[in-house]
Every structure is written in C-alpha cells, then in structure tokens.
Amino acid sequence: VSFTCQPADIDESVHADEAPEDYVARMAREKAAVVVDATAGEQPVLAADTSVVIDNDILGKPRDHFDGLAMLARLSGRTHTVMTAICLHTANQYSCEVISTEVTFTGLDRASCEAYLATDEPWDKAGGYAIQGLGGAFVSRIDGSYSNVVGLPLLETWHLLASHGVDTRLPAPAGDTR
C-alpha cells in the first residue's frame, strides 16, 4: 500500500477501570481521528496502538532506567499478552480490531536486563522490549502473530484494508482463513 506517515499527538493516559482491550482500541481510534481531522478525511487512515499487558496491567513505554528494569523483571519467566488495535477510517466510518498474542519470556537475571537497558532499543517500545531486535532473545515462546508483537499485525491489517476497498499489492484471499 502506498502511504504517508503522520504522527498523532494524543493523550495516552489510561482511564480509570479501563480494560486493556478498550484502551488500545481507544488509542487507535483517537490517533485515526486526529489524522482524519488533519487531512479532512480525503483518504483512508489507518492507525494502530500496541500495549503489553500482564496481570491485567498495561505496560507502556519505560519512563526511565528503573521503570525499564521493573518491567523486564515483571516479564521475566512469565507469559504476557501483546495487544494491538488497528483502526481504519474510510467513507466516514471507523472499523477497528484488536489482535492479541501471548508471549513467554525466559527467566532474566539483573545483568541481562542491565545490558539490554544500556542499548537504545527498549526506550520507545511498549513493555520495554523489541522482539525484532535484541529483546527477541528473551522470548521462549510465542502464541499468535509475530508481526503483532512487532507492532502492526500484518495479516489482520491486510484483511482490514482489502475488506474496505483499499488497494493492496496482494489481493486478499477469498474467504477469511484466519
């Protein structure tokens, strides 16, 4: 898909008692709305938001070294969920979907966490890690979409775009086989 990227500056605060699924869907919808307003809705707008969820708590991007260390310690040896909401605006309507992937980390010692936090990689990532980079070494198991954990679930995005008439280089297969 030919596209341009436009950031959407929104308040990413979690509302009181907001479920993780509702939070990521709201973030994607609000990001899309900002871009739709800026472009006067002249073209389709796709927005996404990804969060890491453990014990029903949403882990955003680490604020500082100690926050990053706490996140990695919490994920160590445990399974968490990565949720990404994709939201497409076309013809004055929004279509949103939330995709979830279960990710299990190996046990991490403090030295491994400190070495990882000394890199540039974890700082702009939900949950403080990047599966497509060095953080992928921490992952012992994944159940679901790998591209979802990276940040944009490609299969689901392809189907969403194609089902709403957005031209993709690859036509979506007849019948949803997901």
Side-chain angles (χ1 to χ4, degrees), residues 1 20 44 94 113 140-141:
V1 174
Y94 288 91
C113 293
S140 63
R141 179 179 168 86

Side-chain angles (χ1 to χ4, degrees), residues 25-26 29 33 48 53 56 58 93 104 107-108 116 123 146-147 149 171:
R26 180 174 60 84
R29 231 180 1 264
V53 180
N56 213 37
I58 299 166
Q93 71 174 7
T104 304
L108 301 173
Y116 184 63
W123 303 110
Y146 171 81
S147 61
V149 182

Side-chain angles (χ1 to χ4, degrees), residues 90-152:
T90 56
N92 296 317
Q93 71 174 7
Y94 288 91
S95 298
C96 299
E97 184 175 345
V98 176
I99 297 85
S100 295
T101 303
E102 299 296 314
V103 179
T104 304
F105 265 29
T106 191
L108 301 173
D109 60 16
R110 178 139 186 173
S112 296
C113 293
E114 292 286 358
Y116 184 63
L117 293 171
T119 73
D120 291 335
E121 193 172 281
W123 303 110
D124 65 342
K125 309 291 187 294
Y129 76 95
I131 194 171
Q132 71 275 22
L134 292 172
F138 301 155
V139 177
S140 63
R141 179 179 168 86
I142 180 171
D143 184 18
S145 169
Y146 171 81
S147 61
N148 180 46
V149 182
V150 174
L152 185 66

Side-chain angles (χ1 to χ4, degrees), residues 66-86:
F66 295 108
D67 191 37
L69 191 60
M71 284 184 189
L72 293 174
R74 191 164 181 193
L75 298 173
S76 176
R78 299 187 59 204
T79 299
H80 61 276
T81 304
V82 176
M83 293 181 182
T84 301
I86 51 176

